[in-house]
Amino acid sequence: MKARTERPPLLRELLLVAGLFLVYKFGRQLATGHTEAAFRNARHVWDLERTVLLPDEGSVQSLLLHGDSLVHTANVYYATVHFPATAAFLVWLYLRRPAHYVWARRVLAAVTAAALVLHLAFPLAPPRMLATTGLVDTGRVYGPSVYGPPQTDHLSNQFAAMPSLHFGWALMVAIGLIVATRSRWRWLWLTHPLLTLLVIVGTANHYWLDAIVATALLGLALAAVHAPRRTVSTAGRGSAQLAPAEDGVLVGAGR
């Protein structure tokens, strides 16, 4: 018969998410106000990308600017998909794949905690703020925008571009669904991080390096937190059971 992994208590999960959300938001606020360092680091990142011959972010943005509806759609995607997609991913795992849920939330927690440390250590202004990039702040010009003026925006840290949790979380959603399912179409989930990458770069909210660093952090987390093992059950040919995973936590917010 198929082994079952008990779901973590729902109330505890909700309390953990709420508590860790507050901790993360407080930690991000500690990184605000480092304007001079953020712009200095932004110039270094921009110059480094050109030195290593990464594509100009403007090449992606120019594609979006061919039509108002396209760039508006990209802004909507940036503003509305990040949190709901990750939440839906975790809810589905919690209900249908409890062992994978525990694994996924631990990976997301590790990535988000590492991102917070990097945000504190390396404040970075996004390319939309750096005049030398020649990029358009598409959220402000075409709408909708999720950010206000940095001087009065007390809900987010706009100098926390690296790493991009938009991309890191999207990539984990795709990897988690590929690992947790067996459909021949499951690899199509990779379109989510691909679209997210094009959106965060094309809207000038992130540099290529922000996504590269997020990928590296996710890779380290996946190496440290192993996915549930699938073993062949003796009860029936081809059936599978999951080895229990250890418990963990999830940070429920990020940029």
Side-chain angles (χ1 to χ4, degrees), residues 17-147:
V17 169
L20 291 168
F21 175 82
L22 294 176
V23 170
Y24 181 77
K25 293 299 288 185
F26 176 73
R28 283 172 64 89
Q29 289 304 312
L30 293 178
T32 60
H34 299 162
T35 305
E36 183 177 349
F39 279 95
R40 182 174 61 250
N41 291 335
R43 289 189 290 271
H44 292 331
V45 167
W46 183 260
D47 292 341
L48 176 60
E49 287 190 338
R50 307 292 78 79
T51 299
V52 299
L53 303 180
L54 285 176
D56 191 330
E57 285 83 351
S59 61
V60 178
Q61 186 172 91
S62 63
L63 297 176
L64 296 182
L65 296 180
H66 279 303
D68 289 358
S69 59
L70 185 59
V71 69
H72 182 78
T73 300
N75 290 334
V76 170
Y77 192 97
Y78 180 85
T80 63
V81 173
H82 176 50
F83 283 107
T86 308
F89 163 68
L90 290 171
V91 169
W92 185 84
L93 288 182
Y94 181 84
L95 295 175
R96 302 294 299 273
R97 303 287 191 275
H100 286 91
Y101 165 79
V102 173
W103 162 69
R105 70 175 186 175
R106 295 181 70 191
V107 171
L108 285 171
V111 170
T112 308
L116 176 57
V117 172
L118 192 52
H119 292 163
L120 292 169
F122 191 76
L124 180 65
R128 59 186 167 82
M129 292 185 181
L130 194 60
T132 55
T133 67
L135 297 174
V136 176
D137 184 347
T138 62
R140 181 180 59 82
V141 175
Y142 297 93
S145 177
V146 296
Y147 304 116

Side-chain angles (χ1 to χ4, degrees), residues 135-194:
L135 297 174
V136 176
D137 184 347
T138 62
R140 181 180 59 82
V141 175
Y142 297 93
S145 177
V146 296
Y147 304 116
Q151 300 82 359
T152 59
D153 186 357
H154 302 298
L155 297 178
S156 60
N157 175 19
Q158 296 189 45
F159 298 136
M162 181 182 291
S164 169
L165 287 180
H166 263 78
F167 181 74
W169 284 16
L171 185 57
M172 181 56 200
V173 168
I175 292 173
L177 289 171
I178 290 170
V179 171
T181 60
R182 286 294 176 265
S183 168
R184 69 177 64 182
W185 303 105
R186 66 187 186 278
W187 295 99
L188 292 177
W189 287 113
L190 289 172
T191 57
H192 175 44
L194 177 59

Side-chain angles (χ1 to χ4, degrees), residues 5 97-104 107 176 179-180 182 225-231 241-246:
T5 301
R97 303 287 191 275
H100 286 91
Y101 165 79
V102 173
W103 162 69
V107 171
V179 171
R182 286 294 176 265
V225 184
H226 300 293
R229 300 183 304 274
R230 286 185 177 270
T231 59
Q241 62 184 21
L242 296 178
E246 295 181 4

Side-chain angles (χ1 to χ4, degrees), residues 78 82 111 115 119 160-170 196 200 205-207 209-215 255:
Y78 180 85
H82 176 50
V111 170
H119 292 163
M162 181 182 291
S164 169
L165 287 180
H166 263 78
F167 181 74
W169 284 16
T196 299
I200 64 175
N205 281 293
H206 286 284
Y207 307 89
L209 280 177
D210 298 340
I212 292 172
V213 172
T215 302
R255 187 172 186 273

